[in-house]
Amino acid sequence: MRTLNVALGERSYPIHIGPSLLERADLILPHLKTRRVAIVTNDVVGPLYLARLQQALQSQGVDVASVVLPDGEANKDWPTLNLIFDALLGGRCERSTTLIALGGGVVGDMGGFAAACYQRGMPFIQIPTTLLAQVDSSVGGKTAINHPLGKNMIGAFYQPKLVLADTGVLDTLPPRELAAGVAEVIKYGLIRDLPFLEWLEANLDALLVRDPEALAFAIERSCANKAEVVVADETEQGERALLNLGHTFGHAIETGMGYGQWLHGEAVAAGTMMAAELSRRLGWLTDADVVRAETLFLRAGLPVHGPVLGVERYLELMSHDKKVEAGRLRLVLLRELGRALMWGEASEGDISAAIEARCR
Amino acid sequence: MRTLNVALGERSYPIHIGPSLLERADLILPHLKTRRVAIVTNDVVGPLYLARLQQALQSQGVDVASVVLPDGEANKDWPTLNLIFDALLGGRCERSTTLIALGGGVVGDMGGFAAACYQRGMPFIQIPTTLLAQVDSSVGGKTAINHPLGKNMIGAFYQPKLVLADTGVLDTLPPRELAAGVAEVIKYGLIRDLPFLEWLEANLDALLVRDPEALAFAIERSCANKAEVVVADETEQGERALLNLGHTFGHAIETGMGYGQWLHGEAVAAGTMMAAELSRRLGWLTDADVVRAETLFLRAGLPVHGPVLGVERYLELMSHDKKVEAGRLRLVLLRELGRALMWGEASEGDISAAIEARCR
Ligand SMILES: NC(=O)c1ccc[n+]([C@@H]2O[C@H](COP(=O)([O-])OP(=O)(O)OC[C@H]3O[C@@H](n4cnc5c(N)ncnc54)[C@H](O)[C@@H]3O)[C@@H](O)[C@H]2O)c1
Ligand SMILES: NC(=O)c1ccc[n+]([C@@H]2O[C@H](COP(=O)([O-])OP(=O)(O)OC[C@H]3O[C@@H](n4cnc5c(N)ncnc54)[C@H](O)[C@@H]3O)[C@@H](O)[C@H]2O)c1
Ligand SMILES: [Zn+2]
Ligand SMILES: [Zn+2]
């Protein structure tokens, strides 16, 4: 088992990473205020893993309530969140009861937000079960639900007491979901960790066959990278924005294709290639650099081109997504492999050309 | 104008108290991040005061959106909260837009919670328009909505950037609502401020005819008392519980009578007399002390007896309300006038006798 500490002063918490952590009630017990927990999961993850977690806790004398939500981003909304509140109140859960979110990013975001709001805040433990949630939602304290007019519009910053990233549960993850998580892992290498990028070039195959050691290393290194950025910039003013490499292009793909067609990680992969192409045009990356990034994404089975929406449509969608400063888009680009920067000086011509070159 | 600073480190904020503050856009401007605000009010307060506030801000070049909610505690729920989110998103409000809550405690609690959640937190200014909200909700950062299974069950701790307590808007407050606010003012005197209690004995009539100077003094002194307690005990472990003098008995009255029959302040007045009676039985208050408290409530037109629900029913309702320790209720009682304490040693016989004596 690997352990990483997210150093946020009073709100610091450990992330444990390794196989079979679901059964490790001993890791959970020291973080409980009382011997009562409420587990939030969904109807895909629940049948696979709820009983194991529940039994491990019950065998230690912990009183366990549970709520099973309908699966899917489409249910990341108020009515579904309210199912959690109904269960907490119906089960007479107290402010000292600990909420455990067992599932992917959707369950984690909703469980975390419910914990932030229930009686103005109850303790929260995250057991992320997708690679994306393990490498991304585990750090940063963001929780939210969607509103019909906007994704993640209603939420809170709320830190967990503990994160358990069980590499074993990834065995049942559909390959497309695994790849989507790998896209965010590659992102950390590209923006700030060249040695990690090199490690990925050497070990991607092990990751894709879900080798526990490779997974644990990649998850720890990803979380460590994100934690360094978040700790330095909790309020998301400066460096934290660099975590959005590929995301402005990517969001245009997600929105332009219509909700649910592309997975987020897939859009990030294609979007990152657009950012790489633009960085090449600015003279920052070589052709060989771009090929290195592309090769990694391709090996993971990720798209390296966006859909043909028309450059105008891309630009329109991107101008909604992010702040425009003095008429120019501010984009996360690559000054070199392993070093991202925020850049507001790219011309529309260059941006258009980069999109054009990376649509197919 | 009087100004009180609530000293919460980075989250410190001023409370300005005085007449005609609604027009004082100059007090608001320094606290805005951008020249955009969204005012949340209701259909009772809006027609009276929205235009004045709106015009004052617009004349300073501030872009103002507004939402008018249906009045009443019965609407302190998710669907009504969602009207705020709809308006914020429909009006393309940003995370930097400031939300201003203009109304009583219900509008303040909902506006504050909406601000806490919108894009994970937007700046928030409170303009409380009831005496209760001015002396109670202005300090402490509590925000919430109700759930069908419990009052204030879903919420957040979220501090405002600024509170404007305009004594002039209290002119239109129904007398019963004014009296309910006075009950909480008297409470501060009883629990920790004997000189204030003496001031109230001398100046209650001025307060009841809404003399601006008397109101401003009482509001400032009440907020100062609450602020001292909150600053010493932000997490509500110890001293902060003393603010609940009369509330355990009072909640039994509110619940027992059915929702909306007794105003909260009315129930607190009768509940405080029960606590005073019990304190007398414990030998802490003299007969004369009890009469002093009773006289103040009576002069304010407040009830000093609870309804006849039967002692058994009171005890049952009270056992739901607050923590029971080793089978005994923990109650806020008066060690003397001006000094409250938390007491878990009162016998059921004494508690019953105190309730009995104060029901009519
Ligand atoms: N809070 C943050 O910092 C943060 C960061 C990134 C993403 N997110 C959010 O997370 C969500 C995306 O997360 P996601 O990619 O995990 O999606 P997801 O939660 O929808 O999970 C993807 C699918 O995999 C299923 N699944 C989960 N674990 C499984 C397992 N072990 N075996 C089999 N199936 C499993 C899920 O039920 C779902 O059908 C988005 O809503 C996004 O906004 C939040
Ligand atoms: N956040 C806190 O710390 C805190 C503290 C105490 C109470 N509260 C909450 O506040 C609520 C009670 O507050 P309240 O007593 O202000 O009730 P309220 O907001 O319902 O106001 C009472 C009535 O007076 C009307 N009104 C408000 N201002 C007026 C004015 N100037 N002129 C004429 N009418 C006016 C309102 O529209 C309403 O009909 C409860 O929901 C309670 O939970 C919160
Ligand atoms: Zn992402
Ligand atoms: Zn009260």
Side-chain angles (χ1 to χ4, degrees):
Chain A
M1 187 179 80
R2 295 161 179 273
T3 298
L4 182 80
N5 186 50
V6 181
L8 290 168
E10 276 187 352
R11 287 163 290 117
S12 297
Y13 62 91
I15 303 178
H16 298 305
I17 305 158
S20 302
L21 298 190
L22 265 191
E23 275 91 25
R24 296 287 302 276
D26 60 305
L27 297 174
I28 294 178
L29 285 176
H31 296 276
L32 302 184
K33 257 192 184 164
T34 62
R35 296 205 160 231
R36 284 203 79 186
V37 306
I39 303 175
V40 176
T41 186
N42 72 22
D43 54 21
V44 170
V45 178
L48 293 169
Y49 302 113
L50 178 57
R52 271 169 61 189
L53 176 61
Q54 200 157 6
Q55 276 153 24
L57 287 164
Q58 283 169 342
S59 76
Q60 298 299 311
V62 177
D63 177 27
V64 181
S66 63
V67 207
V68 179
L69 308 177
D71 184 38
E73 179 80 27
N75 292 306
K76 193 173 149 182
D77 58 6
W78 175 263
T80 310
L81 184 74
N82 219 20
L83 296 177
I84 306 179
F85 294 133
D86 291 346
L88 292 173
L89 280 160
R92 289 182 159 266
C93 291
E94 290 166 339
R95 189 157 52 169
S96 57
T97 302
T98 297
L99 189 149
I100 301 182
L102 172 71
V106 169
V107 165
D109 278 14
M110 284 204 289
F113 187 44
C117 297
Y118 186 67
Q119 299 200 19
R120 302 195 185 92
M122 70 196 294
F124 169 50
I125 288 176
Q126 239 192 320
I127 307 190
T129 63
T130 64
L131 181 59
L132 187 105
Q134 291 180 350
V135 301
D136 199 345
S137 331
S138 300
V139 182
K142 285 190 181 178
T143 72
I145 57 171
N146 301 328
H147 181 281
L149 296 177
K151 192 168 146 62
N152 291 334
M153 277 297 149
I154 302 169
F157 283 98
Y158 199 66
Q159 305 294 342
K161 299 283 177 217
L162 165 71
V163 175
L164 292 186
D166 184 329
T167 49
V169 303
L170 300 181
D171 284 345
T172 52
L173 197 64
R176 220 183 131 188
E177 298 287 353
L178 184 75
V182 170
E184 301 274 8
V185 172
I186 296 173
K187 182 194 74 177
Y188 292 114
L190 289 171
I191 61 171
R192 67 194 305 279
D193 193 349
L194 187 59
F196 185 34
L197 197 75
E198 287 160 357
W199 182 91
L200 284 167
E201 291 177 316
N203 296 278
L204 190 69
D205 299 335
L207 218 53
L208 294 171
V209 298
R210 312 181 197 213
D211 172 77
E213 257 313 304
L215 282 169
F217 178 84
I219 294 162
E220 184 189 18
R221 190 78 169 224
S222 297
C223 290
N225 271 295
K226 184 163 180 185
E228 274 179 32
V229 174
V230 166
V231 167
D233 179 22
E234 238 194 303
T235 54
E236 207 164 21
Q237 305 303 309
E239 201 195 339
R240 193 157 172 177
L242 300 183
L243 295 172
N244 290 327
L245 175 67
H247 280 60
T248 300
F249 295 104
H251 286 156
I253 296 173
E254 289 179 87
T255 314
M257 287 303 284
Y259 175 73
Q261 294 303 301
W262 282 55
L263 292 182
H264 173 70
E266 294 169 341
V268 167
T272 297
M273 289 314 301
M274 291 177 179
E277 171 63 20
L278 182 50
S279 307
R280 192 189 62 79
R281 281 169 192 268
L282 293 168
W284 298 338
L285 293 191
T286 64
D287 290 356
D289 291 333
V290 174
V291 169
R292 278 179 73 181
E294 180 169 30
T295 304
L296 265 177
F297 288 128
L298 284 174
R299 286 173 60 195
L302 288 159
V304 292
H305 292 88
V308 182
L309 303 170
V311 170
E312 285 308 311
R313 180 84 179 114
Y314 268 98
L315 294 176
E316 186 199 322
L317 288 162
M318 288 165 68
S319 73
H320 287 301
D321 182 69
K322 282 283 152 193
K323 289 227 176 57
V324 177
E325 225 167 60
R328 292 211 165 176
L329 267 174
R330 282 166 54 79
L331 292 166
V332 183
L333 299 178
L334 292 170
R335 190 63 190 78
E336 60 187 321
L337 284 190
R339 185 152 69 90
L341 85 181
M342 183 60 82
W343 193 248
E345 307 295 315
S347 71
E348 199 171 296
D350 278 342
I351 298 173
S352 300
I355 294 170
E356 193 83 57
R358 279 287 163 186
C359 281
R360 183 177 291 170
Chain B
M1 187 179 81
R2 294 160 181 274
T3 298
L4 182 80
N5 187 49
V6 181
L8 291 167
E10 276 188 350
R11 287 162 291 120
S12 297
Y13 62 92
I15 303 178
H16 298 306
I17 305 156
S20 301
L21 299 191
L22 267 191
E23 274 91 24
R24 297 287 303 277
D26 60 305
L27 297 174
I28 294 177
L29 286 176
H31 296 276
L32 301 183
K33 255 194 184 163
T34 62
R35 295 202 161 234
R36 283 204 80 184
V37 306
I39 303 175
V40 176
T41 186
N42 72 21
D43 53 22
V44 169
V45 178
L48 293 168
Y49 302 113
L50 178 57
R52 271 168 62 187
L53 176 61
Q54 200 158 6
Q55 276 154 26
L57 287 163
Q58 283 169 342
S59 76
Q60 300 297 311
V62 177
D63 177 27
V64 181
S66 64
V67 207
V68 179
L69 307 177
D71 184 38
E73 179 80 26
N75 293 306
K76 191 172 150 181
D77 58 6
W78 175 263
T80 310
L81 185 74
N82 219 20
L83 296 176
I84 305 178
F85 294 133
D86 291 345
L88 293 173
L89 281 159
R92 289 182 159 265
C93 292
E94 290 166 338
R95 190 157 49 167
S96 57
T97 302
T98 297
L99 188 149
I100 302 182
L102 172 70
V106 169
V107 165
D109 278 13
M110 284 205 289
F113 187 44
C117 297
Y118 186 67
Q119 300 199 18
R120 303 195 185 92
M122 69 195 294
F124 168 50
I125 289 176
Q126 239 193 319
I127 308 191
T129 64
T130 64
L131 181 59
L132 185 104
Q134 292 180 349
V135 301
D136 198 345
S137 332
S138 300
V139 181
K142 285 189 182 179
T143 71
I145 58 172
N146 302 327
H147 181 281
L149 296 178
K151 191 167 146 64
N152 292 333
M153 277 297 148
I154 302 167
F157 283 98
Y158 198 66
Q159 306 294 343
K161 299 283 177 216
L162 164 72
V163 175
L164 293 185
D166 184 329
T167 50
V169 302
L170 299 181
D171 285 344
T172 53
L173 197 63
R176 221 182 131 190
E177 298 287 352
L178 184 75
V182 169
E184 300 275 6
V185 172
I186 295 172
K187 181 194 74 177
Y188 292 115
L190 289 171
I191 61 171
R192 67 193 307 278
D193 193 348
L194 186 60
F196 185 34
L197 198 75
E198 287 161 356
W199 181 91
L200 284 167
E201 292 177 314
N203 295 277
L204 191 70
D205 298 336
L207 218 53
L208 294 171
V209 298
R210 310 179 199 218
D211 172 76
E213 257 312 304
L215 282 169
F217 177 83
I219 295 163
E220 184 190 17
R221 189 78 169 223
S222 297
C223 290
N225 270 296
K226 184 163 180 184
E228 275 179 32
V229 174
V230 166
V231 166
D233 179 22
E234 238 193 305
T235 53
E236 207 164 19
Q237 305 303 311
E239 202 195 340
R240 193 156 173 178
L242 301 183
L243 295 172
N244 289 327
L245 175 66
H247 280 61
T248 299
F249 295 103
H251 287 156
I253 296 173
E254 288 179 86
T255 314
M257 287 303 284
Y259 175 73
Q261 295 302 301
W262 282 55
L263 292 182
H264 173 70
E266 294 169 341
V268 167
T272 297
M273 289 315 300
M274 291 175 179
E277 172 61 21
L278 182 50
S279 306
R280 191 187 65 78
R281 281 168 192 269
L282 293 169
W284 297 338
L285 293 192
T286 63
D287 290 356
D289 291 334
V290 174
V291 169
R292 276 179 75 180
E294 179 168 31
T295 305
L296 265 177
F297 288 127
L298 283 174
R299 284 172 61 195
L302 286 160
V304 292
H305 292 87
V308 182
L309 302 171
V311 170
E312 284 309 310
R313 180 86 178 111
Y314 269 98
L315 293 177
E316 185 200 323
L317 289 163
M318 287 166 68
S319 74
H320 286 301
D321 182 68
K322 281 284 153 195
K323 289 224 176 62
V324 178
E325 225 166 59
R328 293 211 163 176
L329 268 173
R330 282 167 54 80
L331 292 167
V332 184
L333 298 178
L334 292 170
R335 191 61 191 79
E336 62 187 317
L337 284 191
R339 185 152 69 90
L341 87 179
M342 182 63 79
W343 192 248
E345 305 295 313
S347 71
E348 200 173 293
D350 277 342
I351 298 173
S352 300
I355 294 171
E356 192 84 57
R358 280 288 161 185
C359 281
R360 183 178 289 171

